[in-house]
Amino acid sequence: MLYLVRMTVSPPYGMPPEEFERLKNQEKEVGIRLQREGVWKHLWRVAGAYANVSIFEVDSPEQLHAAIGSLPFFPFLSVEATPLVAHPSSINPADNPALKEEMA
Amino acid sequence: MLYLVRMTVSPPYGMPPEEFERLKNQEKEVGIRLQREGVWKHLWRVAGAYANVSIFEVDSPEQLHAAIGSLPFFPFLSVEATPLVAHPSSINPADNPALKEEMA
Amino acid sequence: MLYLVRMTVSPPYGMPPEEFERLKNQEKEVGIRLQREGVWKHLWRVAGAYANVSIFEVDSPEQLHAAIGSLPFFPFLSVEATPLVAHPSSINPADNPALKEEMA
Amino acid sequence: MLYLVRMTVSPPYGMPPEEFERLKNQEKEVGIRLQREGVWKHLWRVAGAYANVSIFEVDSPEQLHAAIGSLPFFPFLSVEATPLVAHPSSINPADNPALKEEMA
Amino acid sequence: MLYLVRMTVSPPYGMPPEEFERLKNQEKEVGIRLQREGVWKHLWRVAGAYANVSIFEVDSPEQLHAAIGSLPFFPFLSVEATPLVAHPSSINPADNPALKEEMA
Amino acid sequence: MLYLVRMTVSPPYGMPPEEFERLKNQEKEVGIRLQREGVWKHLWRVAGAYANVSIFEVDSPEQLHAAIGSLPFFPFLSVEATPLVAHPSSINPADNPALKEEMA
Amino acid sequence: MLYLVRMTVSPPYGMPPEEFERLKNQEKEVGIRLQREGVWKHLWRVAGAYANVSIFEVDSPEQLHAAIGSLPFFPFLSVEATPLVAHPSSINPADNPALKEEMA
Amino acid sequence: MLYLVRMTVSPPYGMPPEEFERLKNQEKEVGIRLQREGVWKHLWRVAGAYANVSIFEVDSPEQLHAAIGSLPFFPFLSVEATPLVAHPSSINPADNPALKEEMA
Amino acid sequence: MLYLVRMTVSPPYGMPPEEFERLKNQEKEVGIRLQREGVWKHLWRVAGAYANVSIFEVDSPEQLHAAIGSLPFFPFLSVEATPLVAHPSSINPADNPALKEEMA
Amino acid sequence: MLYLVRMTVSPPYGMPPEEFERLKNQEKEVGIRLQREGVWKHLWRVAGAYANVSIFEVDSPEQLHAAIGSLPFFPFLSVEATPLVAHPSSINPADNPALKEEMA
């Protein structure tokens, strides 16, 4: 199942730069791992903002929460997850599995 | 370039059902054409709501506006288009073209 | 999987009362069916408002959307679906399946 | 009587990790006690967010306030409590006591 | 138990004046009855707005909902009910029953 | 004249606990004094939140501001004051002075 | 006492133009009367919007409500009244009566 | 002086198409006239929305209001005008007149 | 030209009291100077809140910005400036210069 | 392509003044460079607020993000970028390239 996830980062003022840098690298590592696992399907930046828009593909909301909760930046994120479903007008089999059945 | 587009439909009360049905079919036809053209890259429904979340891939914001403006439902839509850019932590070449260059 | 769903009803002014009454009865029938199917797990009214708060238990967001989309009132509803996951501090096996495993 | 309660946590930056950990454990203990007492009836996490959605069953709003106010995280929570009432279309006796009387 | 209730009226354009007048009188009658029953404890107008702020005293949220739902204006109201509890710093026995016990 | 006043408290993180406790006690003292003076007519807590809902009865908005401004917590409060007027449908002489004149 | 009052007009679509014109003229007459009475002290338009910002000087919130409630446009207005008090840094005797006493 | 003006169009449902078309043409004529007069300096569409973002250059807010108020679509517009001033970091003489003086 | 300006103060926690006091006095001095210059025409407090509502009369938005930007509290203020224009229904020559011309 | 970009600055309390001054100068340098490069096409201040409204002209949203992300103030900015397109009613060839073609 898919989720549209919007994460806005509020970097806390006062954190030593090197610590923030360390967290940022960890954040990147975790993000890459989740993408490799196919959980974090799309990751884009919102142009101009310290925020990202992502599509998560997971088997359950638990998996979604575990993924996002594992992010080192989690305490500085405000996150909104919107559950998505296939749209009957979508002709993209990847987004509209029903089409695959029709084509099968 | 990519846009996250959220469209919320407010069906006007009082429109004769057959007219609304006609518009809905036209809306579907236009949507399918735009998808075939590769403009409307992803189309999902927001689970439970009369709204969709889409990813548009266009060459210019003009193309984005022309596509959305051509929708028969346009006068009943409230639309928000968020410009997206590649995220350096994205490992998906489709979303992070820089990777293609690195791999080239 | 569970969703918190909040539905606010905006009854359209101008609809003939008998038609509204008819729709209301249909709404009730569909609601009862969904509850019998175990999809609409909890249904409460927001005290004082023309709105309800519900917990839906479904196998997929598709099932959630199909259920809500089938409501005759759907065009007059504004709906927000929030995906829920088990909380590790929950001691209620019905809400925190992990406990069942621990007890098994 | 039932309340839908949404709690969003804003962990204060600068709190020593061990102190936060201590508070978190206390928070869990208080939460478990309230669940055992039947006050905190359902506790779920909002998937992806540092927030929970709960159903409290109490005899009075005073009991609700005492329960939430006793949480060690209270100063870092923004809380919204929505009073719920039975919905006449609910077929769940646990949520719609009137049914029990009908069945009695 | 007490609720702060804010009701904002959106008079529907197009309703024949005499019908609106009729509803308004019915609204007043129902309001007076609820006040006589002690349910509608305080009723004030928001200065300058087509809205009221009220304090309802009821035995249960069900009673609150029944009272507000019985208002002829209900379909044109947007209502927000906030549950209130006694404040330990209140010295008004009517609002802080604990004081009565102390004085008893 | 009456005001509905809603105060939300944002306790500043980092204030030494004993100082916060001291301020809290002062806050209580000032609150009690204002109630004795009849200015702070009703004081309730919003169930579940670090906020209160109050009814102030003052001779002038200046008196309202002086009262609220004198609260030690003032710098940590976000305050909204809504001016109230008697509602013609109110049958409570305390809230609808016009009734007293009718009964006189 | 003074109020900042912001009125936003939502002209209802479908009202016959001549009726709207008639209401507009009545609105102007009532507005002029209230200004002559010194109640409507300042009336400005928000540049570019169908809204006005006004300062009302009244003896009581009741007088404020009576004035605004008497406007023919009242059912199409959304109104927000903010109570104002003299600012100790104001050197304008008209706005800061305390100065007059000092000068007396 | 410059204003950022954002206009969102809410086409009223039920207006005969030919009337709407007529208004649209008038709207375009008035818009072109205002641009020729140099009042409407920039006019862009918000990509994907029935809204525009404009820069108005006028001698006074009165001129701004007269221009916007003269638009046939005015009753269906929600308009927000934000006053702009030169930014000291701007190196564009057209936007930062002070530079012209420096260069003079 | 006139602006409605609303300033909300968020006193930063942690500033040494004497420094805050010093800034406050400077704020008052600057405010008085601006009033003497006729720029800060009206200054009122929002009853109950740490905020003010003001009317600025300036020759240009630049003058408005210079005035507000010069306030020592500027970094702790959130400011909204709304441009005002004369309302044709205003009978106050000070607010509706056109009247002066008519009377001339 | 053009973007309307609104940046609101929240200067972090506690940063040593000299460090803030240093950042401010760097911010100005980066801003001037981007303007010289033609990326930052217009830069205005919102009158009265610690915010700017800008028009960016870039070849891609990536270029927009790189420009804004390079600002030293980026961590203290909240940024909203709105994609703009030519408006068919615009007679300004700079804003409505289609006109140039017509005139060619």
Side-chain angles (χ1 to χ4, degrees), chain H residues 2 4 28 32 35-36 41-47 53 55 82-85 87-92 95, chain J residues 2 4 28 32 35-36 41-47 53 55 82-85 87-92 95:
Chain H
L2 298 182
L4 170 69
K28 182 157 186 165
I32 288 172
Q35 291 178 74
R36 287 207 181 106
K41 206 172 161 179
H42 293 289
L43 164 59
W44 298 285
R45 263 196 178 142
V46 174
V53 151
I55 302 288
T82 305
L84 303 179
V85 293
H87 195 294
S89 301
S90 168
I91 64 169
N92 181 340
D95 301 338
Chain J
L2 297 184
L4 170 69
K28 183 158 188 165
I32 288 172
Q35 291 179 74
R36 286 207 180 106
K41 205 172 164 183
H42 294 288
L43 164 60
W44 300 284
R45 266 199 178 140
V46 173
V53 151
I55 302 287
T82 305
L84 304 179
V85 293
H87 195 294
S89 302
S90 168
I91 64 167
N92 180 340
D95 300 339

Side-chain angles (χ1 to χ4, degrees), chain C residues 44-62:
Chain C
W44 299 284
R45 266 198 176 140
V46 174
Y50 206 155
N52 75 55
V53 152
S54 298
I55 302 287
F56 277 73
E57 181 157 27
V58 290
D59 302 328
S60 68
E62 284 70 24

Side-chain angles (χ1 to χ4, degrees), chain H residues 25-40:
Chain H
N25 295 331
Q26 289 175 358
E27 181 83 0
K28 182 157 186 165
E29 279 164 37
V30 173
I32 288 172
R33 176 170 55 75
L34 290 170
Q35 291 178 74
R36 287 207 181 106
E37 291 167 5
V39 168
W40 204 327

Side-chain angles (χ1 to χ4, degrees), chain E residues 43-83:
Chain E
L43 164 60
W44 299 285
R45 265 194 176 146
V46 174
Y50 205 154
N52 75 53
V53 152
S54 298
I55 302 288
F56 277 73
E57 182 157 25
V58 290
D59 301 328
S60 68
E62 284 69 23
Q63 196 186 6
L64 175 73
H65 190 79
I68 295 172
S70 72
L71 293 170
F73 268 16
F74 186 68
F76 321 137
L77 297 180
S78 89
V79 180
E80 194 186 341
T82 304

Side-chain angles (χ1 to χ4, degrees), chain C residues 2 4 6 28 31-32 35-36 41-47 52-53 55 80 82-92 95, chain D residues 2 4 6 28 31-32 35-36 41-47 52-53 55 80 82-92 95:
Chain C
L2 297 184
L4 171 69
R6 182 159 183 150
K28 182 158 187 167
I32 289 172
Q35 291 179 73
R36 285 206 180 107
K41 206 172 163 181
H42 294 287
L43 163 61
W44 299 284
R45 266 198 176 140
V46 174
N52 75 55
V53 152
I55 302 287
E80 194 186 341
T82 305
L84 304 179
V85 292
H87 194 294
S89 302
S90 168
I91 64 167
N92 180 341
D95 302 336
Chain D
L2 298 184
L4 170 70
R6 181 156 182 154
K28 182 156 188 167
I32 289 173
Q35 292 179 72
R36 286 207 179 106
K41 206 172 162 182
H42 294 289
L43 164 60
W44 299 284
R45 265 196 179 144
V46 173
N52 75 54
V53 152
I55 302 288
E80 195 187 339
T82 305
L84 304 178
V85 293
H87 194 294
S89 302
S90 168
I91 63 167
N92 181 340
D95 301 338

Side-chain angles (χ1 to χ4, degrees), chain E residues 35 42 45 83 85 89 91 95, chain F residues 35 42 45 85 89 91 95:
Chain E
Q35 291 178 73
H42 293 287
R45 265 194 176 146
V85 294
S89 302
I91 64 167
D95 301 338
Chain F
Q35 292 178 73
H42 295 288
R45 265 198 177 141
V85 294
S89 302
I91 63 167
D95 300 340

Side-chain angles (χ1 to χ4, degrees), chain G residues 2 4 6 27-28 31-32 35-36 41-48 51-53 55 80 82-92 94-95, chain I residues 2 4 6 27-28 31-32 35-36 41-48 51-53 55 80 82-92 94-95:
Chain G
L2 298 182
L4 170 71
R6 180 158 184 152
E27 182 84 359
K28 182 157 187 166
I32 289 173
Q35 291 179 73
R36 287 206 180 107
K41 207 173 161 180
H42 294 288
L43 164 60
W44 299 285
R45 265 198 177 141
V46 173
N52 75 53
V53 151
I55 302 287
E80 195 186 340
T82 305
L84 303 179
V85 294
H87 195 294
S89 301
S90 168
I91 64 167
N92 181 342
D95 301 338
Chain I
L2 297 183
L4 171 70
R6 181 156 182 153
E27 182 83 0
K28 182 157 188 165
I32 288 172
Q35 292 178 73
R36 287 207 179 106
K41 205 172 162 183
H42 294 287
L43 164 60
W44 299 284
R45 265 195 177 143
V46 174
N52 76 53
V53 151
I55 302 287
E80 196 187 339
T82 305
L84 304 179
V85 293
H87 194 294
S89 303
S90 168
I91 64 168
N92 181 341
D95 300 338

